[in-house]
């Protein structure tokens, strides 16, 4: 069914975004700002995935963006995703 397909595609997209983030974290270890760049890229990919429809006014798009940001998967409190990525042997281990 269509919802099952959509759910599986969203799950696959979220895993790919997490894997991409893993590579960003590991691409520039110990470089100032690299963690922030990876986190912003992670959120930008989710914001693109949940982008507002092309129709509607500016206020409607702003409401949609705010709702999408509230749905973004945030890291657990007191975690360091860049350190977790550096200590994971593979992207799959980081995602899981």
């Amino acid at each position: 069914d269509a919802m099952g397909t959509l759910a599986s595609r969203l799950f696959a997209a979220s895993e790919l975004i997490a894997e991409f983030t893993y590579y960003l974290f590991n691409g520039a270890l110990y470089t100032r700002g690299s963690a922030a760049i990876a986190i912003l890229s992670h959120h930008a990919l989710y914001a693109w995935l949940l982008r507002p429809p092309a129709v509607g006014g500016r206020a409607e798009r702003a409401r949609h963006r705010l709702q999408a940001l509230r749905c973004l998967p945030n890291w657990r409190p007191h975690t360091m995703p860049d350190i977790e990525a550096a200590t994971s042997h593979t992207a799959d281990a980081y995602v899981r």
Side-chain angles (χ1 to χ4, degrees):
D1 82 341
M3 287 308 288
T5 302
L6 177 61
S8 64
R9 291 174 68 190
L10 287 173
F11 182 77
S14 67
E15 284 193 334
L16 290 172
I17 290 170
E19 287 181 21
F20 179 72
T21 305
Y22 166 83
Y23 290 114
L24 283 176
F25 279 136
N26 280 301
L29 285 176
Y30 312 116
T31 302
R32 183 179 175 158
S34 61
I37 291 167
I39 290 169
L40 289 172
S41 298
H42 172 267
H43 278 50
L45 288 169
Y46 270 108
W48 176 85
L49 186 65
L50 303 171
R51 65 189 177 275
V55 297
R58 186 175 182 163
E60 185 179 336
R61 287 193 307 269
R63 275 193 302 279
H64 180 85
R65 284 190 195 107
L66 182 59
Q67 289 172 347
L69 285 172
R70 289 180 180 151
C71 294
L72 286 176
N74 292 311
W75 284 281
R76 294 176 310 276
H78 311 295
T79 61
M80 295 187 216
D82 53 334
I83 302 301
E84 290 180 22
T87 58
S88 297
H89 293 288
T90 64
D92 190 56
Y94 176 72
V95 172
R96 311 266 175 258

